[in-house]
Amino acid sequence: MAQAAIELIGINKSFGAVRANRDINLEIARGTIHGIVGENGAGKSTLMSILYGFYQADSGEIRVGGQPASIKTPNDAIALGIGMVHQHFMLVDNFSVLENIILGAESDALLKRSIAKARSELERLEREYGLEVDPDAIIEELPVGLQQRVEILKALYRGAEILILDEPTGVLTPAEADHLFRILRQLKEQGKTVVLITHKLREIMAITDTVSVMRQGTMVATRETKKTTVEELAELMVGRRVLLRVEKGEADAGAVKLAVKNLTVKDTRGVTMVDDISFEIRAGEIVGIAGVAGNGQSELLEAISGIRHAVSGSVMLDGKPIDLTGAADPGELRDRGLAHVPEDRHHVGLVLAFEENENSILGYHDDPRYLKGPFLNIDAIRNDAKDKIAKYDVRPADCRLKTANFSGGNQQKIVLAREMEQDPGVLIVGQPTRGVDVGAIEFIHKRLIAMRDQGKAVLVVSVELDEIRSLSDRILVMFAGRIVGERGPEATEGELGLLMAGVEHQEAAQ
Amino acid sequence: MDVFNAIVQTLDSTIRLSVPLLLACLAGLYSERAGIFDIGLEGKMLVGAFAGAAAASVFHSAFLGLGMAILISVAFAMVHGFASITHRGNQIVSGVAINFVAAGSTIILGQAWFQQGGRTPALQPGERFEAITLPGADAIHDVPIIGPIYAELLSGHSILVYLAFLMVPFTWWVLFRTRFGLRLRAVGENPAAVDTAGISVAWLRYRALICTGVLTGIAGAYLSMVQNGGFVKDMTAGKGYIALAALIFAKWKPVNAMFACLLFGFLDAAAIRLQGSPLPIIGKVPVQFMQALPYILTVILLAGFIGKAIPPRAGGVPYVKER
């Protein structure tokens, strides 16, 4: 076995009563790609933040290259050759690539010399690792894939030998993710050590040499990637057997429930985001819309649910039109049987400062079930919330808890419970499992399929291809505001990925 | 020739009137570029004006007065920093509090120390900053056109006036050509990026506030030791707020800030000049209207004539390290 680049021995870290890391032991071999998987809140990010000097461990020892190391600030970590690519990029959006790269690592009090030095160093890094990027480009004008490359270059410029990547593929298209993996393999060939934090098991299998699994703050297992399987890792992560692809029967599609015709939507700047889109959803089927984030899916969802003004086109719900002027009454749409689980649960779906039971009736508060004369019937609301909590396994099971104190996955369950339990005819769901753990994903997928089997029409918009493929009876791919293809659930990932990247679309245009 | 002289004189007072605005505006530029909103420019100018005039009068030294103005103003800036950086308090509330404390304490201390109804004693020669005559100004004073422009407009100001205008290219150079400036701009846009790059967000923001304090101190000293021969209560009269408006108008850029402040200074000068004299077509305009003009224009300009002003993205948000 190669010499260890990093050894963590008996690391403990608590935040108040929460023990984020307990007695973690981990050894990462030099020149390998080491994956760390675990559900949200399993303590992966905390552990890496300790390694990067963002937090101090309560106890335990860190060794870098065999030597005991004291890492109190990110500066210490950088000096030891540890670089980190954060999940949310740590870039200054209106700075150039070069300015971002030298920030904090300037060679001189004057910028001119620092920039000149960085420019030549950047050329060398580009040659060595194939990391091409225009040094004078402004960050906010670059696609996310390139922004991430700047983050990697930033770490390499600081002389990183060990590169930690936190959920690096969350924002990337499949093609960009593949490119990232090529870069990581190249870094490995050059002798760098890569630590990859993710909850996507497929990526772990594709690229890592070794994988460690965390669960509830503890390190439960370390495996050689070649000798493990996705099923085993999922079981280790969740602590029980998990169905990665929910079983479902053939769809029994009935009458058209929702018909979208020639819908065009512009954003506030007047840019066309949804461009002349038409499709139908029938009772008893799930239609999935795949696409890279920002290709008009959000605007499409908002227009259908009556939140956003549509320039032209029509949307028919059970044969009757929906008001598309942006002034539709959401309450009326709910009465007509249209339920909407918004993409952004924090800003649109929930009031985080409310108690759970208040959120669980939000928008349905005029329902006589929850009223006693002109007043809210608090007992009825709380009992109703308790029922939903039990049925959807929301944790902690406390309907009086402030919603902000639930984890992302449980918040999502609160929204889903609210919308699904109204027994709508049409359910529109944006990003059903964004930020949700493997175990909860399985549950949410099962519920959505149960809705379908009860004869509801379900529209799912997701940037997760696996999710779209596993749920949908029909898959529509959106690119640049248009539907560029329709495929069945058997479509391969590569095929959909090309459509999502607009490849066929562009070829057809030429 | 009368018209020409009138124009030169108006422009001359434009320069004099825009100096405190310019210094305060650049002061605000340092803190806001670093992500700290500073509505307390007004208060810091006021304590600077008071401390400067009081110290100059007691120690009979203009430079000691300036030094004290800067010191006290920086101290107030540090209070703002302590509240809004160290304790992550609301920056607007902290700034407003500083304005109130400044307005009250200057009057109370002034009355307690000098017993002149909140005023400081009138400054004697040597306790004020005197006008500097540039070389050759007297010699070419009578040359047509160039003479008055050089002798009246450019020459004959106090050293603080020249300092204020020199601060414009200097601030630009600091912001865009030095490591400190790069980090300062970065911390106002994305403090997390600065933190993960191994730089202390708090220390960087404190340093930006020191720059702010120094400049508001000079602005205050200018008011009480150059424009006026002593401190008068509430003598800043909203200049700190006008400077903030100018800062937004200038889109947080130093050279723009200079032009914005000159514009506001010019309006002020024109208002004074035109008081009581009838305008063509319109006739006689009430004094009050002329006095209100700069403020009316501020509202109009800010309401829509400047296009989209994008403030530093992290402005007003205390930095909390979170993962």
Side-chain angles (χ1 to χ4, degrees):
Chain A
M1 176 131 182
Q3 192 204 349
I6 295 175
E7 287 165 88
L8 300 175
I9 302 154
I11 299 283
N12 278 292
K13 176 74 186 172
S14 299
F15 295 101
V18 182
R19 294 189 66 187
N21 286 161
R22 325 179 190 204
D23 276 324
I24 301 280
N25 292 306
L26 177 66
E27 198 174 307
I28 294 168
R30 186 178 298 283
T32 62
I33 300 182
H34 193 116
I36 297 181
V37 290
E39 296 191 288
N40 290 325
K44 314 175 294 251
S45 289
T46 304
L47 188 65
M48 290 304 121
S49 293
I50 289 171
L51 190 52
Y52 191 63
F54 235 58
Y55 295 142
Q56 303 286 299
D58 299 334
S59 66
E61 192 185 336
I62 302 173
R63 288 189 193 162
V64 179
Q67 301 296 318
S70 150
I71 305 177
K72 294 202 168 64
T73 66
N75 260 344
D76 297 337
I78 293 165
L80 287 164
I82 300 172
M84 185 149 177
V85 175
H86 297 264
Q87 189 175 2
H88 305 288
F89 301 150
M90 295 298 174
L91 297 171
V92 181
D93 285 346
N94 55 4
F95 278 18
S96 73
V97 170
L98 272 177
E99 285 175 320
N100 267 291
I101 284 176
I102 63 169
L103 182 67
E106 305 91 341
S107 54
D108 205 299
L110 298 183
L111 289 186
K112 209 174 170 184
R113 283 180 289 235
S114 300
I115 292 221
K117 182 171 169 257
R119 194 182 291 278
S120 61
E121 175 70 9
L122 203 58
E123 274 167 19
R124 187 185 68 79
L125 289 172
E126 277 181 12
R127 273 199 312 275
E128 230 162 90
Y129 301 103
L131 290 162
E132 273 143 36
V133 57
D134 172 11
D136 297 306
I138 302 298
I139 294 296
E140 60 196 350
E141 287 162 8
L142 293 176
V144 277
L146 281 180
Q147 292 186 8
Q148 188 173 57
R149 207 174 289 177
V150 176
E151 282 279 33
I152 295 173
L153 281 167
K154 235 170 93 176
L156 294 176
Y157 182 74
R158 286 157 170 74
E161 287 299 317
I162 301 156
L163 193 65
I164 306 167
L165 295 105
D166 191 1
E167 302 283 358
T169 56
V171 289
L172 302 183
T173 64
E176 283 175 326
D178 285 344
H179 195 132
L180 172 70
F181 293 161
R182 278 204 299 280
I183 291 169
L184 295 184
R185 283 195 197 100
Q186 188 142 16
L187 288 171
K188 179 181 136 184
E189 276 166 29
Q190 304 262 359
K192 309 272 183 194
T193 308
V194 177
V195 182
L196 183 70
I197 305 173
T198 182
H199 64 252
K200 293 184 187 167
L201 294 171
R202 208 172 45 80
E203 293 173 359
I204 290 287
M205 300 310 288
I207 185 161
T208 61
D209 300 308
T210 321
V211 51
S212 297
V213 184
M214 288 186 75
R215 183 169 78 230
Q216 289 169 4
T218 58
M219 192 61 81
V220 289
T222 295
R223 296 275 189 275
E224 246 182 273
T225 310
K226 274 180 294 195
K227 293 182 182 163
T228 185
T229 61
V230 173
E231 285 75 15
E232 187 196 17
L233 291 177
E235 197 176 328
L236 284 166
M237 271 166 73
V238 184
R240 62 177 169 83
R241 286 195 57 82
V242 185
L243 289 172
L244 292 173
R245 192 158 182 159
V246 178
E247 297 287 325
K248 65 173 203 258
E250 282 292 304
D252 182 18
V256 174
K257 295 288 286 179
L258 189 80
V260 175
K261 208 164 178 207
N262 304 115
L263 189 72
T264 298
V265 182
K266 293 187 176 178
D267 71 2
T268 43
R269 294 165 300 169
V271 179
T272 302
M273 294 306 290
V274 176
D275 191 1
D276 195 25
I277 277 186
S278 303
F279 63 92
E280 289 176 346
I281 310 171
R282 292 168 179 277
E285 70 168 353
I286 298 180
V287 174
I289 294 187
V292 179
N295 275 289
Q297 305 98 310
S298 308
E299 287 77 8
L300 175 66
L301 276 185
E302 288 173 8
I304 295 176
S305 50
I307 303 171
R308 188 182 276 273
H309 167 69
V311 179
S312 59
S314 68
V315 179
M316 307 292 264
L317 175 61
D318 293 322
K320 286 194 232 71
I322 285 178
D323 179 6
L324 293 178
T325 59
D329 177 2
E332 187 205 316
L333 289 179
R334 287 194 187 98
D335 288 343
R336 284 168 61 184
L338 180 87
H340 175 212
V341 177
E343 286 183 305
D344 186 342
R345 56 181 171 256
H346 285 169
H347 290 114
V348 188
L350 295 166
V351 182
L352 290 177
F354 276 17
E355 288 176 10
E356 194 276 342
N357 65 83
E358 294 170 313
N359 268 308
S360 83
I361 59 150
L362 210 62
Y364 299 99
H365 49 270
D366 283 340
D367 192 305
R369 278 180 297 162
Y370 306 130
L371 294 179
K372 196 162 32 175
F375 301 107
L376 290 174
N377 184 345
I378 301 293
D379 289 338
I381 292 171
R382 289 192 187 150
N383 287 331
D384 183 74
K386 280 177 196 154
D387 290 347
K388 286 177 190 160
I389 284 175
K391 192 164 172 187
Y392 286 80
D393 190 25
V394 177
R395 284 182 226 179
D398 178 2
C399 76
R400 299 293 308 276
L401 191 67
K402 215 170 93 172
T403 311
N405 296 338
F406 287 88
S407 72
N410 283 299
Q411 289 172 352
Q412 185 70 1
K413 285 186 194 169
I414 295 170
V415 181
L416 282 164
R418 178 179 76 209
E419 301 301 334
M420 285 180 172
E421 288 306 297
Q422 298 299 326
D423 200 27
V426 178
L427 180 66
I428 299 175
V429 192
Q431 315 302 343
T433 57
R434 176 178 280 173
V436 175
D437 300 324
V438 180
I441 290 176
E442 178 193 12
F443 175 82
I444 291 171
H445 283 184
K446 276 184 177 163
R447 300 289 318 174
L448 287 170
I449 287 165
M451 292 283 286
R452 176 199 80 164
D453 293 340
Q454 289 164 27
K456 318 290 186 193
V458 182
L459 176 66
V460 173
V461 172
S462 175
V463 291
E464 297 293 341
L465 258 189
D466 285 345
E467 173 161 86
I468 290 285
R469 289 173 62 220
S470 136
L471 279 175
S472 311
D473 300 306
R474 288 191 292 133
I475 301 171
L476 306 174
V477 183
M478 267 184 94
F479 174 75
R482 304 183 76 98
I483 289 177
V484 291
E486 179 177 336
R487 297 286 187 273
E490 70 290 342
T492 64
E493 195 178 312
E495 188 182 356
L496 294 171
L498 282 179
L499 282 170
M500 281 163 66
V503 172
E504 271 182 31
H505 184 63
Q506 276 164 3
E507 278 169 4
Q510 275 163 7
Chain B
M1 216 53 211
D2 272 356
V3 176
F4 177 72
N5 280 335
I7 291 173
V8 168
Q9 276 165 20
T10 309
L11 291 181
D12 184 47
S13 42
T14 295
I15 288 178
R16 292 169 200 276
L17 290 167
S18 58
V19 163
L21 293 178
L22 179 56
L23 286 166
C25 189
L26 292 175
L29 196 143
Y30 279 96
S31 74
E32 300 221 341
R33 276 281 190 165
I36 306 282
F37 284 159
D38 197 351
I39 207 165
L41 293 176
E42 175 87 3
K44 288 198 279 287
M45 265 162 89
L46 196 61
V47 294
F50 176 75
S57 160
V58 171
F59 301 114
H60 308 295
S61 160
F63 281 97
L64 261 179
L66 177 66
M68 192 54 79
I70 290 173
L71 197 70
I72 299 297
S73 177
V74 169
F76 270 68
M78 293 300 94
V79 172
H80 187 46
F82 188 66
S84 59
I85 302 170
T86 305
H87 289 288
R88 305 189 190 100
N90 185 303
Q91 297 168 7
I92 302 297
V93 173
S94 164
V96 169
I98 280 175
N99 288 343
F100 275 108
V101 171
S105 62
T106 48
I107 298 173
I108 292 173
L109 292 176
Q111 177 63 17
W113 291 342
F114 304 107
Q115 285 94 31
Q116 294 184 14
R119 290 168 172 265
T120 59
L123 293 177
Q124 306 303 316
E127 298 170 1
R128 301 182 54 172
F129 285 99
E130 305 296 342
I132 294 172
T133 307
L134 294 184
D138 292 330
I140 66 163
H141 188 272
D142 295 325
V143 178
I145 315 281
I146 303 170
I149 287 182
Y150 185 72
E152 304 243 340
L153 198 57
L154 299 180
S155 173
H157 294 289
S158 111
I159 187 167
L160 297 187
V161 173
Y162 301 109
L163 181 68
F165 283 92
L166 279 178
M167 284 311 295
V168 175
F170 179 72
T171 299
W172 178 86
W173 180 80
V174 167
L175 274 185
F176 297 102
R177 287 292 179 268
T178 70
R179 173 170 63 194
F180 174 64
L182 180 80
R183 292 176 174 189
L184 186 121
R185 285 183 289 134
V187 84
E189 292 288 335
N190 187 358
V194 170
D195 197 10
T196 50
I199 309 163
S200 162
V201 171
W203 172 224
L204 195 50
R205 288 185 161 175
Y206 268 111
R207 278 184 289 170
L209 281 184
I210 291 173
C211 298
T212 303
V214 168
L215 288 172
T216 47
I218 300 174
Y222 178 84
L223 286 176
S224 67
M225 297 167 64
V226 175
Q227 216 169 51
N228 210 346
F231 175 82
V232 184
K233 73 166 187 166
D234 292 333
M235 73 185 307
T236 43
K239 289 196 177 58
Y241 301 110
I242 299 273
L244 274 183
L247 183 60
I248 298 169
F249 185 36
K251 300 183 181 175
W252 294 269
K253 292 190 176 111
V255 177
N256 289 2
M258 180 181 75
F259 287 117
C261 292
L262 281 172
L263 175 66
F264 285 118
F266 173 75
L267 287 170
D268 235 358
I272 294 167
R273 179 104 206 147
L274 296 176
Q275 266 173 31
S277 49
L279 287 177
I281 306 169
I282 311 166
K284 203 161 185 293
V285 181
V287 176
Q288 288 81 1
F289 178 78
M290 293 310 298
Q291 285 169 340
L293 199 60
Y295 302 91
I296 294 170
L297 193 88
T298 306
V299 172
I300 294 172
L301 286 176
L302 290 183
F305 277 87
I306 56 167
K308 203 161 173 242
I310 302 166
R313 250 160 266 188
V317 189
Y319 177 60
V320 183
K321 185 187 276 199
E322 61 175 344
R323 288 301 324 276

